[in-house]
Amino acid sequence: MCIFREKRELTNDARTRIANWLLVKKSTGKLKRGTVKEALELFGVHRTTIYRILKQAKALWQNGDAVNMDSKKPKRVGKKGKHIDLSKISEIPFHKRGNIRALAIALGVSKSTIHRFIKSGQIKPHTNALKPALTENNIKERLKWCLKAIDQDNGMFNDMYNTIHLDEKWFYMTKGTQRYYLLPGETQPYRTCKSKRFVTKVMFLCAVARPRFNADGECIFDGKIGMFPFVRWVPAKRRSRNRPAGTLELKPVTSVTKEAYRNMLIRQVIPPIMQKWPDNDQGPIYLQQDNARPHIEVQDRDFMEAVQNSNKDLRLVFQPPNSPDMNVLDLGFFRAIQSLKDQTAPKNTKELVKNVKNAFREYCPTKGNRVFLSLQLVLIQVTRVKGSNNYLQKHVGKEALERQGLLPIVFSPSPSLVEECLAYVEAMQ
C-alpha cells in the first residue's frame, strides 16, 4: 500500500520510518536487488529520495548516533514579513484609494502587497454608484410611498399584483468597451464605428407586472406586457448600393415628447393589457411611472378616453421624485434584458429592435418575481433610514428559499418600525 501518493515535502516521522525500513533491509549486508523498487511502491516517493535518506541514515548508524531524520530547516525561512497597519487606510481620503496603485502609494507599500491583502479579505473592493440628491420633500414623499404600500390590516406589504411598472431605456447597437474571452494567440475582434458619440440607439418603453403562479408552481401569467420601441418607418432620401431611393427604413425616434409618450400608452400599452391581463382580476390596475417630463398627467384627457373605451380600470400614478429604486425595471429588470441583448451582435436598427424584444421574451418570469420581492426589501430599508436613499440592499437568498419552497409572497416590516415611521411623518408635517 502506498503511503505518500501526493507530491509534497515529507514529514519527520515519514523520513524516520523510511530510514528504519532501509536499515533493517541493509542489516544483513548489501541491499538485495529490487529493494529500492519495493520502497518506491511502498512509500510512493522518488528514487533519489530513497537514496538520500539511506545515505544519511547509514552515516548516522555507522557513527553510533541515533537515527534522527528530522528536517534541518528552521521553522521560518526567508525574509521576515513587514508589519503594515491597515487601520491607516481609513485615514486616507476615498479619492486617493480608487485603485490598487493609488492605495499602495498612499500606504507606502508595493502593489503586490495590496493585492495579497485583497485576496485574504483584509481589504474589500467596493464599487460605488452615484445616487440622486434628495430634497426634504423628496424624503417625505418616499417615506409616505413606503407606508402606503403596507396593508394596514395585517401589517404586510401589498402583493403588488395590480401594479404595472413603466419606464424607458436606451439600448445601444454596441458598447464602447466590450469584454471577450480569447484563446492564447487568437485574433481579437475588430470593431469600428464612425463616432463613439453617435452609436445607434433606440429607446424602448417597457411595461411589466408581477408574475403569477398557481399552487403547483406553474406560471399562469408572466407579467410581461410588452417592450415597445420608439421608432418610425422613413423613406430613404438617396439611393445606395444596398437599396434604391424611397425604400422604407426603420429609424429611431431620438426625442421622445409628451405626445409620443401619450400615443405609445394609448396605442401600444393599453391593448396588450386588455389582451393579457387575467380575467379573474377585476380590480383597479395602476400604471406606475416616474416623473420624467414627457410623462402625461394622471387625468390626461386622451388617456382617460382610451381607458373608458377599454374594459379595464386603469389608473396612472407617479412614483416619488428622484426614486428609481422604487421601480422594478431600474432595480434589476433592465439590467437582465441588457445582459441578454449584449449576447447578440445587431448590424442595424431593425436587428437591434428584434434582439431586444427577443431578450424580453426570454426573460424568466421566476426571476421577475424575485425582483418584485427585492422591491419590498428596498421599501423596508427606506423606512429604516427614514426616506433616505443611503442604505445597503438587503439580501435574503431568494433563490435558495425558492428551491426549498420557503419563498414568501410578501415581506413585512416590523410593527415598531411602521409606528416609528408614522410618527416621523406626522412630525414632518
Side-chain angles (χ1 to χ4, degrees), residues 357-385:
K357 288 186 175 182
N358 289 339
F360 179 79
R361 285 192 294 268
E362 293 173 5
Y363 187 71
C364 179
T366 304
K367 296 181 180 179
N369 181 60
R370 297 178 201 153
V371 180
F372 274 86
L373 290 175
S374 296
L375 174 59
Q376 297 182 7
L377 295 175
V378 166
L379 297 181
I380 294 177
Q381 295 298 96
V382 172
T383 56
R384 288 177 177 173
V385 295

Side-chain angles (χ1 to χ4, degrees), residues 3-4 6-16 18 43-46 49-50 52-53 69 71:
I3 299 177
F4 309 103
E6 298 181 2
K7 183 180 180 181
R8 62 180 185 274
E9 185 177 354
L10 294 176
T11 62
N12 295 333
D13 292 340
R15 280 191 294 269
T16 302
I18 297 174
F43 299 106
V45 296
H46 197 267
T49 303
I50 297 295
R52 184 176 67 252
I53 292 176
M69 302 301 297
S71 175

Side-chain angles (χ1 to χ4, degrees), residues 24 32 40 65 72 78 82 155 168 187 265 273 280 310 366:
V24 170
K32 295 182 179 180
L40 296 179
D65 299 331
K72 301 299 188 296
K82 181 180 178 181
E168 299 90 359
T187 305
L265 283 181
I273 295 176
N280 56 353
S310 67
T366 304

